[in-house]
């Protein structure tokens, strides 16, 4: 369940790139960012 919001600041160029790449993949920008985050290594236990 998605219940958290993250606000980030992007340049107009970065926002355009994100939107174009998401559209190219048939995703929303949020879906694209979540898919990239899912590739990160799992956090190590502290």
């Amino acid at each position: 369940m998605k219940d958290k919001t993250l606000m980030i600041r992007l340049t107009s160029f970065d926002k355009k790139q994100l939107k174009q790449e998401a559209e190219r993949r048939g995703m929303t920008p949020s879906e694209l960012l979540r898919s990239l985050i899912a590739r990160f290594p799992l956090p190590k236990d502290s």
Side-chain angles (χ1 to χ4, degrees):
M1 173 194 223
K2 297 172 208 113
D3 63 349
K4 302 294 180 191
T5 301
L6 173 66
M7 185 168 28
I8 62 169
R9 298 176 75 84
L10 299 173
T11 64
S12 294
F13 179 77
D14 289 342
K15 185 175 178 183
K16 184 176 179 179
Q17 280 189 302
L18 175 61
K19 184 178 179 196
Q20 285 180 338
E21 184 60 21
E23 287 175 356
R24 186 182 75 77
R25 295 179 187 218
M27 307 168 88
T28 66
S30 291
E31 289 170 331
L32 175 56
L33 290 173
R34 283 192 298 270
S35 74
L36 295 171
I37 291 168
R39 296 179 184 184
F40 294 172
L42 293 175
K44 294 181 181 181
D45 293 337
S46 297

